[in-house]
Amino acid sequence: MSSSPQNQDQKLDRDRDQDQDQDQDQKQDQGQKQDRDRDQKREGKEGKEVKNEKMKKEKQEEKESFNYFIYNPTTREFMGRTASSWGRILLFYLIFYGFLAGMFSFTMWVMLLTLDDNVPRHQDRVANPGLVIRPHAAEISFNRSDPTNYNQYIQQLHELLQRYNDSIQKRHDLCLVGEYTEQDEEPIKKVCQFKRSALRQCSGLFDTSFGYADGKPCVIIKMNRVIGLKPQGDPFINCTAKGDRPLQIQYFPSEGRLDKMFFPYYGKKAHPDYVQPLVAVKLFLTKDNLNVEQTVECKVHGSDLRNDDDRDKFQGRVTFRVKVTE
């Protein structure tokens, strides 16, 4: 049975009203959502502003706190202390460190009073002197036909003997041969003469090449200085060639003597012009010795000075090598 036109119109009106209600509800929901979004944005913005303001305030407070720590105008304090407080602290440290400096200076002064300007307080480790040679080389090797090979050796010998020139040594004293020159109580120590000319063929006065041009070189040996040393007996230098080939050696002064008149030595300050005695060794190399390396060992003998300490190869002895070519 078909419905009447009136019923159909009513139905359409109801549907239309329902659609309008739904549209209104949707619009209302969208409006509320937009309001909530605006509120959230406003609250976030306001929160950031509050947070930034708080951080600025904290920084300002820190800056003011630091400034007040450096100087507080209310209490007139500098870095947490008043002027009188700083004055007392500085005065305390001034007195404290002044006392320490004074005590240190006093102990140093007392220690220096116990020292001798001329003699070391402890010298047990150098009771026995060592020997050294000039030219200063463990191996003396040269071609006798080429002066450029041995000029360096000659130069070293001339430099060593400058202080031993006769013109300089004449100013010094003639001492008793074979006797110690003891002068403990003398404020100014005299110096015994050791003339360069006493080395004769190895003096460089008669042969300026010291025998190197002829293949018969000179080597000068000296004993290290030890303050207060007085060797017992009659010390002398003796050299031997190690090997099967014999080597003729001549000594200047004769027998390689180290005269006791040059002992004791009183130190660089009390004995500034002192010169230790020298022994020159002239090596007479034959044709059989040319182009062959020779090992020579020199020792001090005739006294209580040690020359056999395996722990110190230079105590009382010295070893060097010589090779002459042509």
Side-chain angles (χ1 to χ4, degrees), residues 126-308:
V126 291
N128 290 278
L131 298 182
V132 294
I133 65 168
R134 291 293 184 275
H136 186 65
E139 180 176 354
I140 302 173
S141 177
F142 63 95
N143 186 328
R144 66 176 183 176
S145 302
D146 185 1
T148 59
N149 277 182
Y150 55 78
N151 277 340
Q152 56 176 329
Y153 303 137
I154 294 175
Q155 183 65 28
Q156 289 186 42
L157 293 174
H158 278 298
E159 289 176 358
L160 171 67
L161 296 175
Q162 286 300 312
R163 296 188 63 195
Y164 293 85
N165 284 336
D166 291 9
S167 58
I168 296 175
Q169 292 300 311
K170 285 179 181 178
R171 307 170 193 166
H172 301 323
D173 296 279
L174 290 170
C175 302
L176 294 176
V177 177
E179 299 289 337
Y180 296 123
T181 307
E182 297 186 88
Q183 41 190 335
D184 297 343
E185 305 301 326
E186 301 294 331
I188 300 177
K189 314 301 183 185
K190 65 180 180 180
V191 179
C192 298
Q193 291 185 10
F194 189 100
K195 294 183 178 180
R196 180 175 181 170
S197 57
L199 300 180
R200 299 173 59 188
Q201 297 180 39
C202 289
S203 65
L205 299 175
F206 311 107
D207 178 8
T208 56
S209 74
F210 293 91
Y212 284 78
D214 301 327
K216 300 174 181 179
C218 288
V219 176
I220 295 179
I221 303 169
K222 65 176 182 176
M223 190 164 60
N224 291 333
R225 303 176 182 184
V226 176
I227 296 175
L229 176 69
K230 293 192 291 185
Q232 302 298 315
D234 293 306
F236 65 92
I237 299 295
N238 183 66
C239 299
T240 56
K242 294 183 177 182
D244 299 331
R245 298 175 183 271
L247 182 62
Q248 184 182 354
I249 300 174
Q250 188 175 4
Y251 302 92
F252 305 100
S254 61
E255 300 178 357
R257 294 182 69 246
L258 296 167
D259 201 285
K260 290 195 292 186
M261 67 179 175
F262 296 102
F263 303 95
Y265 168 58
Y266 287 94
K268 191 173 183 179
K269 187 173 182 179
H271 228 161
D273 297 324
Y274 174 85
V275 290
Q276 63 258 60
L278 304 176
V279 172
V281 177
K282 189 172 183 65
L283 307 176
F284 288 90
L285 300 176
T286 62
K287 289 186 177 180
D288 294 335
N289 300 128
L290 296 178
N291 303 310
V292 177
E293 184 177 86
Q294 295 277 352
T295 300
V296 182
E297 183 180 55
C298 298
K299 294 184 177 182
V300 58
H301 293 277
S303 71
D304 59 341
L305 300 178
R306 295 189 59 183
N307 60 15
D308 57 355

